[in-house]
Amino acid sequence: MFVAAEKNMVREVRHFTSSLLAFWGVAACDRESALLVVGELGANAAQYGGTELAVRLSLEGGLLRIDVRDGAAPPCARPAGSTTRPAGECGRGLAIVEHLADRVRTTTSDEGHTVRVDLRIAPTAPHGGS
């Protein structure tokens, strides 16, 4: 899904994600975790990204992969185990994502900044796919 990197589009990305995960038969509790991840990463992309926000979801077996790409430099993250917060709100959303995820990878290329999140989920209904 490609949308404008604007705050009002984060709701659309969450709706798309929710609909797709429901179609795939992902359990409600796992959908909520995925929606929180997509919402946090989408909000970062809307706030710091370029003109476009891209979200890609794939499901294989018990692994849900979420890729969120924008045209920005990597956002700041709070160091693991840190008890002090960076100035303002910077880093809290990524800390939430890292807590929920089994794996988080961040890459930067000529195409932009991508955060890839892997979430282990419960077995899905027969519609499951990628």
Side-chain angles (χ1 to χ4, degrees):
M1 171 179 214
F2 293 94
V3 297
E6 299 171 359
K7 287 185 181 184
N8 63 336
M9 296 307 294
V10 175
R11 180 170 37 123
E12 299 299 321
V13 170
R14 285 177 49 89
H15 177 71
F16 166 79
T17 300
S18 180
S19 296
L20 183 59
L21 295 180
F23 175 76
W24 284 346
V26 174
C29 61
D30 289 328
R31 280 197 315 263
E32 289 301 316
S33 294
L35 290 173
L36 185 54
V37 167
V38 166
E40 291 294 339
L41 296 179
N44 280 350
Q47 184 171 1
Y48 303 111
T51 59
E52 190 172 75
L53 161 64
V55 177
R56 180 176 180 263
L57 303 167
S58 62
L59 178 62
E60 190 170 326
L63 182 67
L64 174 64
R65 177 162 288 159
I66 302 168
D67 290 322
V68 177
R69 182 176 53 83
D70 62 39
C76 61
R78 189 182 327 178
S82 172
T83 57
T84 60
R85 293 185 177 170
E89 297 180 6
C90 186
R92 285 189 250 178
L94 289 178
I96 291 168
V97 169
E98 289 172 353
H99 176 75
L100 292 170
D102 292 287
R103 184 175 184 185
V104 178
R105 289 172 294 196
T106 303
T107 58
T108 303
S109 69
D110 292 340
E111 295 179 358
H113 169 252
T114 301
V115 179
R116 173 172 281 177
V117 175
D118 292 339
L119 297 173
R120 293 259 170 233
I121 61 169
T124 59
H127 283 107
S130 54

